[in-house]
Amino acid sequence: MASNKVTLVCTECLSRNYSTPKNKQTHTERLEMKKFCRRCGKHTLHKETK
Ligand SMILES: [Zn+2]
């Protein structure tokens, strides 16, 4: 299988809030999505990290 797990970090407080499966062959760009951050107490932009 070519899918890996990636970690999503809050771009405001840098908390590692989520991990999600990602197929690197079909998604070559970095993931960015709005997710709820418990530390910030609101929805913030989360980005993929290693
Ligand atoms: Zn945050």
Side-chain angles (χ1 to χ4, degrees):
M1 296 296 282
S3 78
N4 288 0
K5 282 221 165 180
V6 296
T7 301
L8 298 177
V9 297
C10 173
T11 55
E12 295 196 16
C13 72
L14 303 182
S15 286
R16 294 175 170 233
N17 295 321
Y18 298 94
S19 64
T20 185
K22 177 184 176 183
N23 185 330
K24 298 207 173 189
Q25 292 182 324
T26 57
H27 296 93
T28 53
E29 77 286 1
R30 286 207 145 203
L31 288 174
E32 287 186 17
M33 60 184 78
K34 279 252 182 177
K35 292 275 204 178
F36 184 79
C37 177
R38 268 187 286 174
R39 192 192 270 186
C40 293
K42 61 180 180 181
H43 280 81
T44 62
L45 188 65
H46 285 66
K47 287 193 181 180
E48 173 188 346
T49 190
K50 283 188 182 174

